[in-house]
Amino acid sequence: MLKLGVLVSGGGTNLQAIIDAIEAGDLNAKITVVLSDNPEAYGLKRASAHGIPTEVVTRDGYPTKKTYDTRAVELLRSHGVEYVVLAGFMRIISKVFLAAFPMRIINIHPSLLPSFPGLDVQQAAIEHGVRFSGCTVHFVDEGIDSGPIIIQAVVPVLDGDTEDLLSARILKEEHRIYPQAIQFISEGRVRVHGRRVHIKGPGASESDHIVNPPITLTEG
Ligand code: GRF
């Protein structure tokens, strides 16, 4: 069974979605540790409530990225972690981390990458006027939100949307696609060829399209 280390800095609703999917029998994986850079992260409480071991590594103790990541990797290894799942972890992963878990670190981001990498992306999507946004699970590489894409979900941006409304709509989809991405990996269905990620099994069909606003012209 795939042994996961989940890294959180805050609320941990994605962590909760992964825990729930495991407990429901939908996701064949085990979280062996939840690690945080923030001792106050609510995600740590979520882990403890489900009997999952936790570790805290604060920035103070490890001022450089290299020393921080070396310690984090050491702890993850001590818990037998095979795969690293970033779930709202507010630190940029260094080469030390990438070398320790090559192509075994995944992240979730609340936009349709490669649009809107970085921070405050829901507001940026509204301000840009895009008709769709969504979320992306991707492998982590040396860039910011730039690694090969595993799965994406699309949501419409609606008239009158605020950052909170759009974030909530996206987050709901995050909670669906993150457990699914991990289950694809757990089933050994994921292969990476350069930038493209191939997932064995049924893919999308040409009819899986959506338009916003809807087309009202009579077609045909
Ligand atoms: C999510 O929007 C995720 O996409 C981003 O950080 C947020 C974490 O939320 N990377 P939570 O801590 O899982 O509730």
Side-chain angles (χ1 to χ4, degrees), residues 10-198:
T13 64
N14 278 289
L15 165 66
Q16 189 67 54
I18 295 164
I19 293 172
D20 292 347
I22 291 172
E23 292 186 352
D26 293 332
L27 172 53
N28 189 27
K30 181 181 163 105
I31 302 174
T32 61
V33 66
V34 169
L35 184 144
S36 183
D37 57 335
N38 171 15
E40 306 301 325
Y42 189 67
L44 292 169
K45 292 204 175 66
R46 294 181 191 271
S48 301
H50 291 265
I52 300 167
T54 61
E55 300 281 3
V56 175
V57 187
T58 60
R59 289 153 205 245
D60 303 350
Y62 302 91
T64 67
K65 245 190 215 175
K66 196 173 170 195
T67 52
Y68 186 97
D69 282 8
T70 303
R71 178 63 183 149
V73 164
E74 190 177 276
L75 284 169
L76 293 173
R77 286 211 169 115
S78 75
H79 287 275
V81 168
E82 297 164 340
Y83 238 93
V84 178
V85 175
L86 307 182
F89 187 60
M90 300 306 287
R91 284 182 68 90
I92 292 165
I93 294 297
S94 77
K95 281 185 186 161
V96 171
F97 230 121
L98 292 167
F101 295 98
M103 290 309 275
R104 283 174 171 265
I105 307 175
I106 58 175
N107 182 42
I108 189 156
H109 181 77
S111 78
L112 289 176
L113 291 171
S115 291
F116 308 113
L119 297 173
D120 302 324
V121 297
Q122 296 93 337
Q123 184 61 30
I126 292 171
E127 282 171 17
H128 193 90
V130 292
R131 292 289 182 179
F132 290 102
S133 187
C135 44
T136 304
V137 178
H138 63 94
F139 286 101
V140 175
D141 65 9
E142 285 183 30
I144 310 253
D145 302 320
S146 59
I149 291 169
I150 302 168
I151 184 170
Q152 294 184 304
V154 178
V155 305
V157 180
L158 303 179
D159 290 345
D161 257 353
T162 60
E163 185 180 5
D164 283 352
L165 284 171
L166 180 59
S167 299
R169 193 174 309 124
I170 293 172
L171 201 55
K172 203 168 154 199
E173 296 306 313
E174 293 186 33
H175 298 162
R176 298 172 67 215
I177 67 170
Y178 218 178
Q180 177 65 76
I182 300 166
Q183 178 63 9
F184 284 148
I185 292 165
S186 168
E187 290 171 351
R189 290 168 62 185
V190 177
R191 296 277 179 281
V192 185
H193 301 286
R195 278 219 55 88
R196 291 191 71 88
V197 177
H198 294 286

